């Protein structure tokens, strides 16, 4: 049996890909900027620190959410 994806499911996949791509680009920009500033012994700009903290918070929240989901799935089934 062949599963046919509806147009709504295709759009969800595209949007998820766009979010992951944006997250990756922001994370690489923050990490490369922080490394460059550390080599030059300069302080990081406030916006770089803010974006880095937000991305760190998103990473932690997502990992805790996925861990909780996996734990609930194991306990339920």
């Amino acid at each position: 049996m062949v599963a046919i994806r509806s147009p709504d499911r295709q759009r969800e996949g595209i949007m998820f890909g766009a979010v992951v791509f944006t997250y990756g680009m922001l994370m690489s920009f923050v990490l490369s900027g922080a490394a460059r500033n550390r080599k030059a012994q300069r302080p990081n700009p406030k916006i770089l620190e803010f974006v880095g903290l937000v991305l760190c918070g998103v990473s932690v929240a997502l990992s805790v959410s996925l861990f909780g989901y996996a734990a609930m799935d194991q306990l339920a089934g």
Side-chain angles (χ1 to χ4, degrees):
M1 188 178 284
V2 176
I4 299 174
R5 293 180 70 177
S6 68
D8 292 336
R9 293 287 290 170
Q10 288 176 346
R11 271 188 249 128
E12 289 173 8
I14 292 171
M15 288 305 295
F16 181 72
V19 168
V20 169
F21 178 74
T22 303
Y23 175 82
M25 290 299 290
L26 281 172
M27 188 61 82
S28 67
F29 173 76
V30 167
L31 291 176
S32 67
R36 186 176 58 235
N37 287 339
R38 185 173 181 194
K39 274 187 185 178
Q41 296 180 345
R42 293 185 302 220
N44 291 323
K46 294 291 183 188
I47 190 70
L48 188 68
E49 288 183 16
F50 176 73
V51 172
L53 288 174
V54 167
L55 290 174
C56 183
V58 167
S59 297
V60 169
L62 185 61
S63 66
V64 168
S65 302
L66 290 174
F67 180 76
Y69 178 77
M72 292 300 292
D73 190 46
Q74 286 295 317
L75 291 175

